[in-house]
Amino acid sequence: MPSSGRHWAIRVLCLFCVVSDAVCVLNTGMLFPRESSSREVKDLSGLWVFRADKSPDRNQGFDEAWYKSRLEQTGPVIDMPVPASYNDITQDYTLRDFIGWVWYEREVVVPTRWIADEGTRVVLRVGSAHYYSVVWVNGVKVTEHEGGHLPFEAEIGSLIRKDPTMLCRITIAVNNTLTLQTLPPGTIQHMTDRTMYPDGFFVQNIYFDFFNYAGIHRPVLLYTTPKAYVDDITVVTDFSDNTGLVRYKVSVQGAAPATLKVTLVDKDGHCVVSSSEPSGVLKVVDVKLWWPYLMHDTPGYLYSMEVRHLITGTETVTYVYTLPVGIRRVNVTSTQFLINNKPFYFHGVNKHEDSDIRGKGLDWPLIVKDFNLLKWLGANSFRTSHYPYAEEILQMCDRHGIVVIDECPGVGIKDIRSFGNTSLAHHLDVMDELVRRDKNHPSVVMWSVANEPAAEMPPAENYFKTLIKYTKALDPTRPVTYITDSNYARDRGAPYVDVICVNSYFSWYHDPGHVEVIPIQLHTQFENWFGKYEKPIIQSEYGADVVSGLHSDPPMMFTEEYQKVVLQNYHDVFDQKRKQYVIGELIWNFADFMTAQGVTRVVGNKKGIFTRQRQPKAAAFILKERYWRLANETGRLPPWTNCNLSPLR
């Protein structure tokens, strides 16, 4: 784990060292591994060998150096799919709730040409593994990473070339233990009363309401580049009248000086503008802007930026990378959120990466199903509650015009010990990685640095002041928020955000069963927050649990009728306040999801408007009618749109 002062001086300096043209220099690039004529990708998804370290201290694997030989030689192993959470795959309840180190292994045949060509870099990339990971190749440690939701990688070409006849054996140890300095935080509690608990019994305490799924959640890839390659691209867009402005910066590693050709291509494959400089501004005449879904007849319009690295003095191309680019502008006033100078109202959902069996594992059928449901619902946005989602999901949002509030895993920061320098240094690391990965997605319009922190605690003010200032230095082009449910008068971080995002569950956690209080309390909530801070407000969570198929009239808690009447009471107030300063409403939640076992949860959180299997509850139809009505009020619905048939094109 990183020490409290590991990068502290660098962090502080970076707050005051934003380079020209609103582009902050990050440590290294993290471009999505797209295939091209100069880049090959080998997907290692499938069955891996797996073993959980169930020794009392969970350290047997390191003590016995399991990474030095094939994992099956160390003891019993089982099959484990990647990507997937390991928790729900087997019938072993101890594995479902396992805390500690688990070990994955895969032997890979590396193409001969990759090994033979000394000029080819071979990179191992893990899309995400929860929470702390250590990676070995052929018994040699190549990297480690803290954090469960963002990619990490290592160059391994020299290792696999030591003995070209060997299979490439990849070993990944993953530990899901959470501490007061991790994101999200947690604590380990050891039970020492032997009249109550067996020897060595401990539990992981968490401060968030979703299951602590663990494992390798996104694809593991091998990919290649030449020795001279594009390490990073940063794009910032704007427009003036009908001219688009694409400010870009390309970083090249392994070659100096770099000879580049940067070309912007439209959807029809026509060259729009080009440059031979590593940075500059591309001017696009008669620009086609990136618009959100239901705000324009061609939402999600993307250009392609082709970056070619040339041998100096020739036209010989040695490297090609293509980056999708959406040209748009985002602004915030005291009462509005503007996209391309037009008021944008968030009518959308909160989500989770969560589904049966696979847990948080990336699953394409589920992703496509969810996008079909979002568009059927008339939702134009969602928030990545409570952690960064897969890059593949954001790419879908770019293409379909779904607006995203991109949230880091800063959920459940409730203990005063989580506001120290060690925690803050790690939080800054996470924001570095998040911005580096997602900065070029036009669908991402705002960063969320935390969810429901204990912002009333005195240390929170300096913590969030530093965190928000640092995030704005990384990316001055997007507003920053965090999600609050604390008392407006005691919130120490709210003065520094650009948009107030408020979670509230009137008539559920407060005054349960009394829906008649919702209009009064919600009105008071909005007036208090806006009166104090004069910033636009998003109702970032609201809702009620419902067991699908449970009915009652008059409505009672946990029935479909009760969820409907809660939503309708909230919507009445939204309709009043959205004419003033409320700029969005995000239902909690899109679909039911798994949580830790407890007396307040019946096999998970049931606040979804869809079941965990993506079947609609009655509230889904209430929201569908409302969202399509909101979209129609803008007067900008595309002519092909039909609220009964909104295809995923």
Side-chain angles (χ1 to χ4, degrees):
M1 305 288 177
S3 62
S4 60
R6 185 178 177 186
H7 301 304
W8 192 251
I10 297 175
R11 302 285 182 208
V12 173
L13 285 172
C14 190
L15 288 172
F16 306 100
C17 295
V18 181
V19 300
S20 62
D21 295 334
V23 175
C24 184
V25 178
L26 299 170
N27 295 332
T28 184
M30 191 56 73
L31 293 174
F32 186 79
R34 301 178 184 277
E35 285 192 301
S36 72
S37 58
S38 61
R39 293 171 61 110
E40 294 183 79
V41 178
K42 186 179 180 69
D43 191 341
L44 306 185
S45 298
L47 288 182
W48 287 53
V49 175
F50 176 90
R51 183 181 179 189
D53 184 345
K54 295 185 179 181
S55 61
D57 64 359
R58 303 297 196 255
N59 215 48
Q60 181 183 357
F62 288 92
D63 292 341
E64 299 179 358
W66 289 356
Y67 52 86
K68 287 188 176 180
S69 61
R70 298 178 70 187
L71 197 57
E72 64 180 16
Q73 295 175 357
T74 69
V77 297
I78 61 174
D79 291 337
M80 188 60 64
V82 172
S85 303
Y86 61 73
N87 308 80
D88 293 341
I89 299 297
T90 76
Q91 303 308 108
D92 182 354
Y93 78 93
T94 64
L95 188 58
R96 183 184 188 277
D97 297 305
F98 183 80
I99 302 297
W101 289 103
V102 298
W103 293 71
Y104 289 80
E105 181 188 86
R106 174 78 183 266
E107 292 186 326
V108 183
V109 176
V110 179
T112 302
R113 63 183 177 280
W114 292 12
I115 297 174
D117 185 357
E118 294 278 350
T120 295
R121 294 174 65 246
V122 181
V123 181
L124 172 65
R125 178 188 178 100
V126 181
S128 78
H130 185 75
Y131 175 81
Y132 197 92
S133 303
V134 184
V135 183
W136 297 264
V137 172
N138 295 337
V140 178
K141 181 180 171 181
V142 295
T143 191
E144 59 186 295
H145 181 259
E146 180 182 7
H149 309 90
L150 291 163
F152 55 97
E153 57 186 32
E155 186 175 349
I156 65 169
S158 60
L159 280 174
I160 62 177
R161 290 188 180 105
K162 284 185 177 180
D163 186 351
T165 64
M166 286 180 58
L167 291 173
C168 174
R169 179 168 49 83
I170 300 168
T171 308
I172 305 177
V174 184
N175 192 328
N176 64 339
T177 304
L178 301 177
T179 72
L180 289 173
Q181 282 72 50
T182 60
L183 285 179
T187 58
I188 295 294
Q189 183 178 4
H190 293 271
M191 307 301 192
T192 57
D193 184 348
R194 291 298 160 255
T195 68
M196 298 286 290
Y197 303 99
D199 187 42
F201 188 89
F202 68 91
V203 294
Q204 169 80 76
N205 295 317
I206 56 176
Y207 310 106
F208 50 87
D209 188 33
F210 55 93
F211 192 75
N212 187 32
Y213 277 117
I216 301 177
H217 286 151
R218 296 173 192 157
V220 180
L221 306 173
L222 291 176
Y223 74 88
T224 67
T225 73
K227 289 293 185 183
Y229 64 100
V230 173
D231 172 60
D232 193 24
I233 303 171
T234 300
V235 168
V236 176
T237 69
D238 202 348
F239 64 92
S240 176
D241 297 325
N242 70 333
T243 300
L245 305 172
V246 180
R247 182 174 290 111
Y248 71 94
K249 184 178 181 66
V250 179
S251 170
V252 176
Q253 297 291 330
T259 301
L260 297 174
K261 184 174 183 181
V262 179
T263 305
L264 201 66
V265 178
D266 65 18
K267 267 192 174 181
D268 297 322
H270 301 136
C271 174
V272 175
V273 62
S274 64
S275 171
S276 58
E277 299 299 323
S279 63
V281 180
L282 302 177
K283 296 183 178 181
V284 183
V285 179
D286 295 326
V287 64
K288 294 181 174 62
L289 298 178
W290 187 94
W291 288 97
Y293 176 55
L294 302 180
M295 202 172 176
H296 194 268
D297 57 355
T298 55
Y301 189 94
L302 295 174
Y303 293 87
S304 295
M305 176 181 283
E306 296 180 354
V307 179
R308 297 173 179 267
H309 183 258
L310 312 174
I311 295 177
T312 303
T314 75
E315 290 297 312
T316 303
V317 178
T318 63
Y319 183 85
V320 180
Y321 189 86
T322 301
L323 178 74
V325 173
I327 300 174
R328 57 102 178 102
R329 173 190 296 162
V330 172
N331 295 105
V332 176
T333 73
S334 62
T335 59
Q336 290 183 316
F337 195 98
L338 305 174
I339 296 181
N340 300 336
N341 299 333
K342 303 287 186 181
F344 178 78
Y345 186 77
F346 294 79
H347 47 88
V349 302
N350 294 277
K351 292 182 91 275
H352 266 297
E353 289 183 311
D354 173 279
S355 62
D356 289 330
I357 301 175
R358 61 194 52 76
K360 292 193 180 301
L362 181 85
D363 182 72
W364 273 113
L366 184 74
I367 292 171
V368 174
K369 178 66 174 178
D370 282 1
F371 272 81
N372 273 296
L373 290 174
L374 286 170
K375 299 187 85 169
W376 172 86
L377 196 62
N380 63 8
S381 54
F382 68 79
R383 162 177 158 237
T384 70
S385 49
H386 296 297
Y387 39 80
Y389 290 0
E391 295 162 277
E392 292 85 348
I393 293 176
L394 296 184
Q395 291 163 9
M396 289 279 283
C397 291
D398 293 341
R399 298 203 325 271
H400 295 286
I402 302 297
V403 169
V404 176
I405 300 173
D406 202 355
E407 189 162 287
C408 86
V411 56
I413 307 176
K414 302 293 188 182
D415 192 295
I416 195 169
R417 291 168 291 178
S418 292
F419 287 108
N421 281 350
T422 300
S423 297
L424 180 56
H426 176 53
H427 209 145
L428 297 177
D429 276 335
V430 171
M431 293 312 302
D432 255 0
E433 293 182 10
L434 177 60
V435 173
R436 183 184 306 129
R437 192 195 73 165
D438 294 347
K439 61 187 173 180
N440 295 323
H441 288 286
S443 59
V444 174
V445 300
M446 186 156 49
W447 305 113
S448 171
V449 299
N451 176 74
E452 297 182 7
E456 72 280 3
M457 292 184 177
E461 180 169 2
N462 180 65
Y463 187 98
F464 285 108
K465 180 180 179 180
T466 303
L467 179 62
I468 291 167
K469 188 174 182 180
Y470 183 69
T471 303
K472 289 182 178 181
L474 292 174
D475 178 15
T477 69
R478 289 178 176 89
V480 178
T481 188
Y482 71 74
I483 318 300
T484 182
D485 70 345
S486 57
N487 186 296
Y488 76 98
R490 298 170 59 199
D491 192 298
R492 298 174 183 269
Y496 306 106
V497 301
D498 300 302
V499 174
I500 302 290
C501 288
V502 184
N503 299 345
S504 59
Y505 292 90
F506 304 125
S507 83
W508 190 259
Y509 297 121
H510 310 283
D511 301 297
H514 292 283
V515 294
E516 67 272 19
V517 307
I518 294 175
I520 298 171
Q521 295 182 2
L522 186 57
H523 172 84
T524 301
Q525 167 197 278
F526 286 144
E527 289 296 292
N528 284 344
W529 280 100
F530 187 75
K532 185 172 179 65
Y533 295 108
E534 295 186 344
K535 295 178 181 180
I537 299 173
I538 296 175
Q539 183 72 41
S540 43
E541 290 182 23
Y542 71 104
D545 282 83
V546 55
V547 177
S548 181
L550 192 61
H551 297 280
S552 173
D553 187 30
M556 294 183 66
M557 294 177 71
F558 292 99
T559 66
E560 298 205 33
E561 288 74 20
Y562 191 83
Q563 189 183 42
K564 287 170 59 178
V565 74
V566 166
L567 268 57
Q568 289 164 338
N569 274 277
Y570 268 85
H571 295 165
D572 289 343
V573 180
F574 293 162
D575 283 339
Q576 299 170 31
K577 298 301 180 183
R578 66 187 174 89
K579 299 172 184 176
Q580 302 173 41
Y581 50 75
V582 170
I583 61 169
E585 54 192 76
L586 304 177
I587 188 71
W588 188 269
N589 192 284
F590 173 74
D592 294 345
F593 56 92
M594 190 53 61
T595 64
Q597 297 183 68
V599 296
T600 62
R601 296 285 175 251
V602 183
V603 194
N605 189 304
K606 295 292 192 292
K607 290 189 180 70
I609 58 168
F610 297 98
T611 66
R612 201 180 190 209
Q613 294 72 38
R614 274 46 179 187
Q615 296 305 310
K617 303 176 187 177
F621 298 94
I622 295 291
L623 271 186
K624 180 187 178 190
E625 180 181 356
R626 174 172 178 78
Y627 285 178
W628 284 97
R629 177 172 60 81
L630 289 171
N632 272 290
E633 286 179 8
T634 68
R636 291 186 291 273
L637 279 182
W640 50 263
T641 303
N642 181 311
C643 68
N644 294 313
L645 181 63
S646 48
L648 180 61
R649 303 192 302 172

